[in-house]
């Protein structure tokens, strides 16, 4: 049961402890039991991490792209080989069912490392011909030392989604996991070393928000990549701005799913289930505002109720369990609070609503209106709000009436409408007839308050490099005097 790591931090190629930092108890959400203790990074640990990252970055950037890529590809293989143990650890860290973590977490991290490992040798500049034989060439240079700050819902995946493009481009990374889920990233750091990364290239330091804030404002950090909530994003973005640091902000959402009368009902119900209840609803891109056209609403709800009978709750380590607890008691309380506000606000509780330990049953509200709190705020728990609409224009207008813009989906059998609606939805990622698939090949990120920049895909290269232009003159210099 105990999952005590060798030490709290992984810095300069080795585990590092400093028990004078604030003590952080690590709780297994499946039982509420304490499974480890780590200590928040002290200024000395932060210094060691940033200084070793700066050293390692120079060595690493001097390698060829192919050489860097080989290390990432090896790390991907090591993660795949260790998938079972890493998945069990992910379940201890987050409480997500093993049934999910076996296929979604370490595997997704390995895919990111393999993808960017393959891409590393192709990160090149341009040749730009000019008049009279002059020309410009550009190079994509690393930014330097990057800080990654993670949320608690996907600790392995977030560490890898940030490390893979950052390292492929020749940067070093200092990663701070959420204080709720400190264990997984340490294993990724071990694996990076085993794969051949120089000591200090990928450091992990623990801490609460204040350690993240220190990283965001330290002048030795050249870029900050945050996965977190919009309020934290605003703070980190503004302190990064003071130093003109680069940023990637992957923030929250309240994404809409538009289900039209002509939709394949099984696909629509499946999409709504995936987009609300996977990882017990703790997914940034979740489609928590489900707009169902009036003609299909009764059939949709009937089928949803039927399929919710397939939910299996229990110990997340039991592979038969397909629905786990919230990450923490506090998060369970927050979600419970939203359920109470949903009922007080006049919505109808159609399914769920109960709590057992840290687990909140999959909850569906109907008769939800746009002005209700449960239709406006990100809950980050298994709470689906079902709203209805009549026309495409109305559905789109209401779907877009939010400060967020992470994701959106449309379910329809009408090909033209699918593309038209996807084009009009204000979101960084849109799905047609599916939900929440985020392959590494596709850019991922938000518009509006949901973020800045993109993770994954070739697009991420732009966010982990800076471009240098070199002007080469073929003739003499034509000065006026
Ligand atoms: P938070 O925003 O609370 O925390 C995110 C990270 O930032 C944590 O590591 C946290 O540390 C740290 N942090 C907190 N305050 C500061 C600060 N002032 N300066 C620097 N760092 C700080 O998010 P949660 O962990 O609660 O995660 C849930 C949120 O993440 C949701 O809003 C969700 O939508 C979003 N998210 C977005 C994703 C995306 O890709 N767009 C993916 C996954 C989640 P600590 O935890 O130790 O306080």
């Amino acid at each position: 049961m105990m999952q005590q790591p060798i030490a709290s931090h992984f810095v300069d190629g080795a585990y590092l402890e400093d028990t004078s930092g604030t003590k952080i108890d690590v709780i297994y959400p499946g039982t509420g039991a304490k499974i480890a203790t780590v200590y928040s990074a002290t200024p000395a640990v932060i210094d060691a991490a940033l200084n070793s990252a700066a050293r390692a970055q120079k060595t690493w950037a001097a390698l060829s792209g192919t050489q860097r890529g080989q290390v990432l590809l090896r790390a991907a293989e090591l993660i795949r080989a260790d998938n079972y143990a890493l998945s069990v650890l992910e379940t201890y860290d987050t409480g997500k069912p093993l049934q999910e973590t076996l296929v979604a977490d370490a595997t997704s991290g390995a895919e990111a490392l393999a993808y960017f490992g393959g891409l590393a040798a192709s990160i090149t500049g341009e040749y730009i011909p000019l008049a009279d034989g002059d020309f410009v060439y550009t190079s994509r240079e690393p930014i330097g030392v990057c800080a990654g700050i993670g949320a608690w819902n996907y600790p392995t995946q977030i560490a890898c989604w940030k490390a893979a493009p950052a390292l492929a481009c020749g940067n070093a990374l200092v990663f701070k996991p959420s204080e709720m889920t400190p264990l997984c990233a340490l294993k990724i750091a071990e694996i990076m070393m085993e794969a051949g990364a120089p000591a200090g290239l990928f450091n992990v330091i623990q801490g609460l928000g204040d350690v993240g804030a220190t990283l965001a404002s330290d002048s030795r950090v050249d870029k900050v990549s945050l996965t977190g909530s919009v309020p934290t994003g605003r703070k980190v973005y503004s302190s990064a701005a003071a130093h003109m640091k680069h940023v990637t902000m992957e923030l929250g959402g309240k994404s809409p799913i538009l289900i039209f009368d002509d939709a394949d009902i099984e696909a629509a119900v499946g999409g709504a289930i995936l987009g609300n209840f996977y990882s017990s609803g703790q997914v940034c891109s979740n489609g928590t505002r489900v707009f169902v056209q009036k003609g299909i609403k009764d059939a949709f709800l009937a089928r949803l109720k039927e399929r919710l009978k397939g939910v299996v709750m229990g110990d997340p380590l039991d592979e038969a369990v397909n629905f786990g607890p919230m990450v923490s008691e506090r998060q369970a309380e927050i979600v419970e609070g939203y359920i109470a506000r949903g009922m007080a606000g006049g919505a109808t509780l159609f399914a769920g609503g109960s709590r057992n330990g840290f687990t909140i049953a999959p909850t569906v509200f109907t008769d939800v209106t746009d002005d209700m709190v449960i239709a406006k705020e990100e809950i980050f728990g298994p709470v689906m709000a079902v709203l209805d609409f009549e026309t495409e224009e109305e559905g789109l207008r209401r779907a877009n009436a939010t400060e967020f813009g992470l994701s959106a989906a449309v379910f329809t059998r009408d090909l033209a409408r699918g593309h038209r609606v996807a084009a009009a939805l204000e979101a960084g990622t849109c799905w047609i007839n599916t939900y929440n698939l985020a392959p590494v090949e596709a850019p991922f990120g938000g518009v509006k308050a949901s973020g800045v920049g993109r993770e994954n895909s070739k697009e991420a290269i732009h966010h982990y490099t800076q471009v240098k232009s070199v002007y080469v003159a073929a003739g003499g210099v034509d000065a006026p005097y």
Side-chain angles (χ1 to χ4, degrees), residues 150 152-153 176 178-179 207 212-213 228-229 232 250-252 284 378 380:
W152 38 257
N153 55 348
K176 187 204 85 72
S178 165
E179 117 228 11
S229 62
T232 303
E250 296 292 353
L251 309 176
C284 52
E378 182 179 46
F380 226 58

Side-chain angles (χ1 to χ4, degrees), residues 255-256 396 400 405-410 418-437 442-445 447:
S255 300
L396 265 174
N400 284 336
L406 191 56
S407 309
V410 49
H419 292 289
R420 189 170 62 234
V421 170
L425 284 165
E426 295 166 1
T429 298
C430 292
W431 290 281
I432 301 179
N433 294 332
T434 188
Y435 208 81
N436 258 355
L437 301 179
F444 184 79
V447 301

Side-chain angles (χ1 to χ4, degrees), residues 3-17 26 36-39 45 79 82 86 89-90 93 155-157 159-160 175-179 181-194 202-207:
Q3 300 291 321
Q4 184 63 40
I6 293 168
S8 300
H9 318 287
F10 196 98
V11 171
D12 204 10
Y15 277 97
L16 176 67
E17 193 55 277
V26 187
T37 303
V38 295
Y39 296 88
V45 169
I79 289 177
D82 213 13
L86 291 170
L89 190 64
E90 174 93 17
D93 233 357
T156 304
Q157 185 191 77
C160 293
F175 185 72
K176 187 204 85 72
S178 165
E179 117 228 11
T181 54
L183 305 177
C184 294
L186 292 169
K187 285 286 168 199
I188 302 300
E190 269 184 47
I191 286 172
M192 290 291 191
M193 281 302 290
E194 198 184 333
F202 179 74
N203 294 319
V204 174
I205 60 172
Q206 309 296 348

Side-chain angles (χ1 to χ4, degrees), residues 42 46 49-50 104 126 137-138 160 163 190 196 209 216 276 296 301 321 340 366 374 405-406 430 461 476:
T42 54
I46 298 174
L50 289 176
E126 276 186 303
Y137 65 88
T138 65
C160 293
E190 269 184 47
N276 280 273
I296 200 178
L301 287 174
V321 166
T366 55
I374 57 164
L406 191 56
C430 292
I461 301 298

Side-chain angles (χ1 to χ4, degrees), residues 110-477:
E111 264 169 44
L113 288 159
Y115 177 87
F116 286 103
L119 216 60
S122 310
I123 300 168
T124 57
E126 276 186 303
Y127 166 80
I128 304 164
L130 300 168
D132 305 322
D134 286 9
F135 63 95
V136 166
Y137 65 88
T138 65
S139 54
R140 291 210 157 265
E141 299 183 337
I143 296 173
V145 173
C146 303
I149 303 173
W152 38 257
N153 55 348
Y154 284 84
T156 304
Q157 185 191 77
I158 292 171
C160 293
W161 280 21
K162 296 193 188 309
L167 304 192
C169 294
N171 304 287
L173 185 73
V174 176
F175 185 72
K176 187 204 85 72
S178 165
E179 117 228 11
M180 230 86 76
T181 54
L183 305 177
C184 294
L186 292 169
K187 285 286 168 199
I188 302 300
E190 269 184 47
I191 286 172
M192 290 291 191
M193 281 302 290
E194 198 184 333
L201 189 70
F202 179 74
N203 294 319
V204 174
I205 60 172
Q206 309 296 348
L208 311 177
D210 61 324
V211 173
T214 301
L215 290 174
S217 61
D218 193 296
S219 60
R220 290 168 289 182
V221 171
D222 303 296
K223 161 162 187 150
V224 188
S225 175
L226 169 79
T227 298
S229 62
V230 173
T232 303
R234 290 191 213 281
K235 286 187 214 156
V236 172
Y237 197 178
S238 69
S239 70
H243 293 268
M244 217 57 83
K245 292 185 206 304
H246 297 240
V247 295
T248 299
M249 295 282 138
E250 296 292 353
L251 309 176
K254 189 76 192 176
S255 300
I257 300 179
L258 287 175
I259 299 171
F260 285 88
D261 284 345
D262 66 350
D264 173 333
I265 195 135
E266 285 307 318
V269 171
I273 287 174
L274 276 184
N276 280 273
F277 302 139
Y278 200 71
S279 302
S280 301
Q282 302 164 112
V283 181
C284 52
S285 49
N286 268 359
T288 44
R289 290 182 298 141
V290 180
F291 291 91
V292 188
Q293 207 167 13
K294 282 194 171 151
I296 200 178
K297 191 175 148 194
D298 290 347
F300 172 85
L301 287 174
R303 201 55 201 124
L304 178 62
K305 188 151 243 175
E306 197 56 33
R307 286 185 56 175
L308 284 177
K309 291 183 185 152
V311 172
V312 182
M313 296 187 242
D315 182 354
L317 287 166
D318 174 353
E319 277 185 60
V321 166
N322 60 19
F323 187 88
M326 299 284 94
V327 74
S328 63
E329 185 165 29
R330 163 133 182 77
Q331 190 63 16
E333 282 164 7
I334 289 173
V335 176
E336 241 186 345
Y338 275 110
I339 291 172
R341 287 163 87 180
M343 292 197 280
T348 304
L349 186 66
F350 176 79
S354 60
R355 174 177 166 192
N356 178 14
F358 293 6
T359 304
I360 305 270
T363 299
V364 180
F365 277 107
T366 55
D367 303 315
V368 179
T369 54
D370 297 352
D371 56 340
M372 289 181 188
V373 172
I374 57 164
K376 291 203 292 203
E377 295 183 13
E378 182 179 46
I379 298 174
F380 226 58
V383 183
M384 182 193 303
V386 177
L387 308 99
D388 54 35
F389 70 101
E390 287 186 18
T391 66
E392 181 179 317
E393 181 281 324
E394 178 205 342
L396 265 174
R397 182 173 34 79
R398 291 170 53 201
N400 284 336
T402 166
E403 65 161 332
F404 300 112
L406 191 56
S407 309
V410 49
F411 283 83
T412 177
R413 284 198 175 92
D414 179 337
L415 195 63
R417 174 155 57 201
H419 292 289
R420 189 170 62 234
V421 170
L425 284 165
E426 295 166 1
T429 298
C430 292
W431 290 281
I432 301 179
N433 294 332
T434 188
Y435 208 81
N436 258 355
L437 301 179
V440 67
E441 294 87 347
F444 184 79
V447 301
K448 294 157 76 178
S450 290
V452 175
R454 292 292 176 270
E455 296 199 300
N456 288 344
S457 79
K458 286 181 281 208
E459 200 60 37
I461 301 298
H462 295 279
H463 300 288
Y464 282 100
T465 53
Q466 51 198 353
V467 178
K468 176 178 278 173
S469 292
V470 180
Y471 188 114
V472 182
V477 176

